[in-house]
Amino acid sequence: MRQQISDYDLKLDHIPIRCDNTSAINLSKNPILHSRTKHIEIRHHFLEDHVEKGDHILEFVDTKNQLVDIFTKPLSKENFIAIRRELGLIDLNNLDS
């Protein structure tokens, strides 16, 4: 991720990752292996390692404010327009406004 961001000439000390799952955020901060975490795959431990190094920071975001919903869920027109605005995308059909 860091390489991809540097390809766009952006400089970040850490890459924020927004998540609405407080359990996942807490698990990334507490690396102790519990019996309930045995099923977690290696790719998740990769993220945990980067959080521990400080390369990435997991930030809590309310479920209603998940910007990724525009790509993964059917949304009402109002939600679609609000998320599109947050992402900085423009509507080519309404360039006058």
Side-chain angles (χ1 to χ4, degrees), residues 79-97:
N79 287 346
F80 179 81
I81 291 170
I83 291 175
R84 187 182 63 196
R85 189 178 319 115
E86 279 291 318
L87 290 172
L89 302 174
I90 59 171
D91 182 5
L92 294 177
N93 296 324
N94 290 328
L95 290 177
D96 300 333
S97 51

Side-chain angles (χ1 to χ4, degrees), residues 59-92:
E59 298 174 347
F60 178 76
V61 63
D62 190 27
T63 303
K64 293 181 281 184
N65 298 321
Q66 279 283 7
L67 299 181
V68 74
D69 286 350
I70 198 169
F71 303 112
T72 61
K73 297 179 181 176
L75 300 171
S76 67
K77 185 176 181 179
E78 296 80 23
N79 287 346
F80 179 81
I81 291 170
I83 291 175
R84 187 182 63 196
R85 189 178 319 115
E86 279 291 318
L87 290 172
L89 302 174
I90 59 171
D91 182 5
L92 294 177

